[in-house]
Amino acid sequence: MEDLMTYVDDDGSVRLLPGYKFDPTDEVLVDFYLKRRVFAQPLPFHIIPDFDVFQIEPWDLPGGDGKIFNERKCFFFNTMGRDFENIDIRVAGSGQWRVIEKGKDVLIPQNNQVIGRRNTLNFWEFQGTNARRTKWVMHEFRLTLISNSSKVTNWAVYRIFKNKDAKNVNNERGCNEESSNASAAEVINFNVESDSF
C-alpha cells in the first residue's frame, strides 16, 4: 500500500505522489502518529522523519521544497537528550523558539478524553544584538500518560509552518522588514555573549 502513495526521489527522500496532501489534524498527529512512535509500532508511510528541530532555523529544515510537506513540515524528536535552560525559550540555530501558548489539551472528539498537549511557539531570529519575531510557527505535540494526564512523554511531534496571516512579515525568511517602524513587542535588543548559545 505504501507504494501507492509515495515514491523515493533522486536524493533518496520519500515523497508523496502529486495530488496527495499530508495535513493531519491535531488529534490524528497525537493519537495515531505520535502514539505509534512512542510505543515503537510500525507507521505506514514514512512521512514524518526523526529530526532535532532545535539545531537549525525553520527555513532550513529538511523538506523545505514543498514536495512532501505542503508548507507544513512534521518531525518526531525525543527531547530526553536535550537540556533547555528555559523550556519557554529554546535556542535553535541563530534564533529562538518562544512559547506563546502552553498546554492546550488535544482531545479525542468521540469521548473528550485528553490524549495530548499542544504548545505553540514562535521563532525569533537574531540580527546582531536584536531579536526579530518571524512568521514561523511551531506546534509541539506530546502524548499524555494514561495514569496521569498532567504528565507527558519525552517524544514529541512538531508541526512547523509559516503563518501567512502575519502582518508586515513577508520576506523569504519571514522577518519583519519594517525594522524602523517595528514595535517594542517585535524587536528586542539583547546583549548576548557568545557563550550564551
Side-chain angles (χ1 to χ4, degrees):
M1 179 117 178
E2 182 171 343
D3 295 335
L4 298 178
M5 293 177 59
T6 61
Y7 68 98
V8 178
D9 205 352
D10 294 338
D11 65 0
S13 50
V14 177
R15 305 284 188 197
L16 284 174
L17 289 173
Y20 286 93
K21 182 178 179 181
F22 182 71
D23 193 16
T25 63
D26 293 359
E27 297 80 19
V28 169
L29 268 178
V30 174
D31 195 36
F32 183 79
Y33 289 97
L34 183 56
K35 186 188 285 186
R36 285 176 176 260
R37 186 67 183 91
V38 167
F39 293 109
Q41 296 175 340
L43 282 162
F45 316 113
H46 301 287
I47 212 130
I48 304 177
D50 289 356
F51 190 79
D52 180 354
V53 297
F54 299 106
Q55 66 179 322
I56 59 176
E57 294 84 1
W59 50 85
D60 287 333
L61 288 167
D65 58 9
K67 288 182 182 175
I68 190 168
F69 293 107
N70 300 302
E71 300 177 13
R72 288 180 177 230
K73 305 172 190 181
C74 292
F75 301 96
F76 290 121
F77 181 58
N78 187 339
T79 59
M80 182 183 286
R82 192 56 112 130
D83 186 26
F84 298 107
E85 286 184 30
N86 181 343
I87 198 67
D88 292 337
I89 300 174
R90 307 175 204 178
V91 174
S94 65
Q96 297 174 335
W97 286 104
R98 298 183 185 179
V99 173
I100 56 176
E101 180 184 42
K102 195 171 191 173
K104 182 178 178 185
D105 289 343
V106 178
L107 307 170
I108 296 177
Q110 294 83 350
N111 59 12
N112 284 335
Q113 176 189 354
V114 176
I115 55 166
R117 298 260 187 276
R118 184 182 89 185
N119 294 327
T120 302
L121 299 92
N122 184 242
F123 189 75
W124 288 65
E125 181 183 23
F126 285 102
Q127 297 175 344
T129 58
N130 291 331
R132 234 175 251 292
R133 183 172 51 127
T134 70
K135 62 183 178 177
W136 286 93
V137 176
M138 170 192 287
H139 291 160
E140 174 186 60
F141 298 94
R142 293 185 186 253
L143 194 64
T144 55
L145 304 181
I146 295 171
S147 58
N148 184 351
S149 66
S150 65
K151 301 276 187 189
V152 294
T153 59
N154 288 323
W155 274 103
V157 63
Y158 295 89
R159 178 194 296 140
I160 301 170
F161 58 96
K162 238 190 246 186
N163 184 355
K164 295 183 183 201
D165 296 330
K167 294 180 181 177
N168 297 328
V169 183
N170 55 11
N171 71 12
E172 67 193 32
R173 290 187 175 178
C175 292
N176 187 336
E177 292 181 328
E178 299 182 13
S179 57
S180 60
N181 298 327
S183 70
E186 293 176 327
V187 177
I188 295 177
N189 189 339
F190 285 95
N191 292 321
V192 180
E193 296 179 13
S194 59
D195 61 356
S196 298
F197 294 97

